[in-house]
């Protein structure tokens, strides 16, 4: 019986990372309650606030509406937050801060991939304030080769134009030589339709590391 030789791991040129739910931790209930209270919602209506928040979020993420326009439809209890007001600034700041906590285990994987010479592109659905905050974060400015955000692109994932922009930013590698990492299955499926390899992140950082680092070229040591 002839033993078949093991196939080499496919060539990997670049990693394309989602942020929220992968590198970034999801906000906890206390954070949601604080944001809802700022917007005038009672504590027992925080779940309703979250529903309204997400119902309005897509155009804000895509840069189609301003911070003022996003919050104007979410305020309750006779609150108003005109342009330049302290309340609008507090809402913007609190909303942004909710999304800037990172998962140390995933950042460790990102650092190992960086040490192994794998370029990283960040492709995130994020409004302008969050995009600016992430770009200032030390892990992002150090470990990401380039960053792309929906508000700057004018389009949200899973629109194929978002992935196409990421491939161009990466130097137009063959899609099969990329791995796109996201916690939302529909976003991974959209990338797969363009020929990209994907990793649907479910919180298992060890599985993520195994998927990425097994494809590091021979002779390169990841740290």
């Amino acid at each position: 019986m002839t033993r078949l030789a093991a196939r080499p791991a496919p060539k990997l040129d670049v990693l394309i990372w989602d942020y929220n739910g992968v590198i970034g931790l999801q906000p906890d209930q206390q954070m949601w309650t604080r944001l809802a209270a700022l917007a005038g919602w009672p504590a027992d209506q925080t779940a309703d606030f979250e529903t309204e928040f997400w119902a309005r979020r897509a155009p804000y993420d895509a840069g189609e509406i301003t911070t003022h326009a996003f919050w104007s439809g979410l305020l309750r209890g006779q609150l108003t937050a005109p342009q330049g007001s302290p309340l609008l600034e507090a809402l913007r700041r609190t909303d942004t801060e909710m999304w800037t906590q990172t998962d140390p285990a995933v950042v460790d994987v990102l650092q190992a991939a960086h040490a192994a010479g794998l370029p990283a592109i960040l492709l995130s659905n994020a409004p302008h304030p969050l995009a600016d905050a992430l770009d200032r974060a030390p892990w992002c400015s150090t470990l990401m080769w380039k960053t792309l955000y929906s508000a700057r692109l004018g389009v949200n994932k899973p629109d194929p134009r978002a992935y196409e922009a990421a491939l161009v930013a990466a130097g137009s590698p063959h899609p099969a030589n990329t791995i796109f990492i996201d916690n939302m299955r529909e976003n991974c499926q959209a990338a797969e339709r363009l020929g990209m390899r994907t990793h649907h992140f479910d919180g298992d950082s060890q599985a993520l590391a195994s998927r990425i680092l097994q494809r590091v070229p021979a002779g390169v040591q990841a740290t």
Side-chain angles (χ1 to χ4, degrees):
M1 178 177 178
T2 302
R3 177 178 296 178
L4 297 176
R7 293 183 179 180
K11 180 183 178 184
L12 178 58
D13 292 328
V14 65
L15 301 171
I16 301 176
W17 295 78
D18 174 42
Y19 174 70
N20 183 39
V22 180
I23 301 169
L25 293 172
Q26 301 281 7
D28 60 27
Q29 194 57 45
Q30 184 177 5
M31 294 175 179
W32 279 112
T33 300
R34 180 187 177 202
L35 185 62
L38 269 177
W41 292 67
D44 61 357
Q45 294 181 20
T46 298
D48 294 331
F49 167 78
E50 289 185 51
T51 298
E52 290 295 318
F53 179 97
W54 288 119
R56 296 179 57 84
R57 194 67 171 189
Y60 186 39
D61 281 349
E64 296 171 359
I65 61 173
T66 65
T67 300
H68 172 260
F70 174 69
W71 284 107
S72 64
L74 279 171
L75 299 178
R76 294 293 185 271
Q78 307 301 313
L79 288 179
T80 61
Q83 293 280 12
S85 67
L87 178 55
L88 184 61
E89 172 57 23
L91 290 164
R92 181 205 62 77
R93 183 179 63 253
T94 304
D95 178 22
T96 299
E97 289 173 351
M98 280 176 44
W99 308 103
T100 55
Q101 297 186 83
T102 55
D103 184 335
V106 177
V107 173
D108 284 347
V109 176
L110 180 58
Q111 289 174 328
H114 178 76
L118 291 175
I121 302 288
L122 187 64
L123 179 63
S124 174
N125 285 355
H128 287 293
L130 179 56
D132 294 342
L134 293 179
D135 274 349
R136 291 191 297 268
W139 66 266
C140 188
S141 59
T142 301
L143 301 175
M144 288 296 169
W145 186 35
K146 294 183 181 179
T147 57
L148 293 92
Y149 303 100
S150 55
R152 298 176 186 172
L153 294 172
V155 65
N156 295 330
K157 294 176 296 182
D159 190 298
R161 291 174 292 176
Y163 307 94
E164 291 164 355
L167 290 171
V168 171
S172 299
H174 193 283
N177 294 344
T178 68
I179 293 181
F180 171 70
I181 304 150
D182 200 293
N183 69 313
M184 296 186 66
R185 191 171 298 279
E186 65 176 325
N187 291 344
C188 290
Q189 291 170 342
E192 290 166 359
R193 286 193 287 271
L194 293 176
M196 301 165 71
R197 299 205 304 275
T198 66
H199 181 83
H200 179 227
F201 183 69
D202 61 1
D204 188 340
S205 59
Q206 292 186 342
L208 175 63
S210 177
R211 176 74 189 282
I212 291 171
L213 299 179
Q214 69 176 339
R215 302 175 191 280
V216 173
V220 176
Q221 294 295 320
T223 59

